Amino acid sequence: MSRHFESLPEGLRTAPGRIAALGVFDGVHRGHARILEEAIAWAREARVVALAMTFATHPDAVIRGESPRLIVSLARRIEILESFGFDATLLLPFNERWSRIPARRFAEEFLGRGL
């Protein structure tokens, strides 16, 4: 079973490669499940770490000033993500600073180099 973290622990940070599924994943519907299952399958095939990444705060709460009505609590969402068998679940903050990071920079710096 995976564990959830607010930052990537050293052991996972130094592992040779990672595949991550990133999203809010509220409720984890069939489309979400497919993404999560595929990420794990790819990671297992490549023999790298499988990460689920979700946000502690819904991005709309920061960007629009109000969060959509959520289907499950954050604690339940983490339980659901962990039930898929990821090596770790990374709980990301989403705040004003994060909202200003351009998508390309986020992908290159955080996903590419940061993970």
Side-chain angles (χ1 to χ4, degrees):
M1 172 152 298
S2 74
R3 300 158 292 157
H4 75 276
F5 302 95
E6 292 183 10
S7 63
L8 202 57
E10 183 64 27
L12 295 178
R13 197 172 330 132
T14 58
R18 286 160 291 288
I19 290 180
L22 169 66
V24 174
F25 299 121
D26 183 36
V28 186
H29 56 67
R30 287 176 23 191
H32 289 149
R34 177 74 189 265
I35 290 167
L36 299 169
E37 290 163 353
E38 288 290 324
I40 290 171
W42 291 341
R44 297 301 176 248
E45 183 178 318
R47 294 190 169 122
V48 297
V49 172
L51 293 175
M53 297 175 15
T54 191
F55 298 104
T57 303
H58 194 290
D60 283 352
V62 174
I63 295 168
R64 296 187 176 145
E66 64 181 73
S67 177
R69 191 166 170 199
L70 300 176
I71 298 168
V72 298
S73 68
L74 178 60
R76 180 68 183 131
R77 184 174 359 136
I78 290 168
E79 288 175 3
I80 293 169
L81 290 171
E82 289 179 342
S83 75
F84 277 82
F86 284 92
D87 297 309
T89 300
L90 189 57
L91 185 59
L92 305 173
F94 194 92
N95 53 36
E96 190 71 29
R97 184 178 66 87
W98 277 58
S99 72
R100 289 190 295 265
I101 299 172
R104 180 180 210 105
R105 187 170 146 219
F106 175 80
E108 290 172 352
E109 292 180 13
F110 181 77
L111 297 177
R113 290 188 292 270
L115 285 181

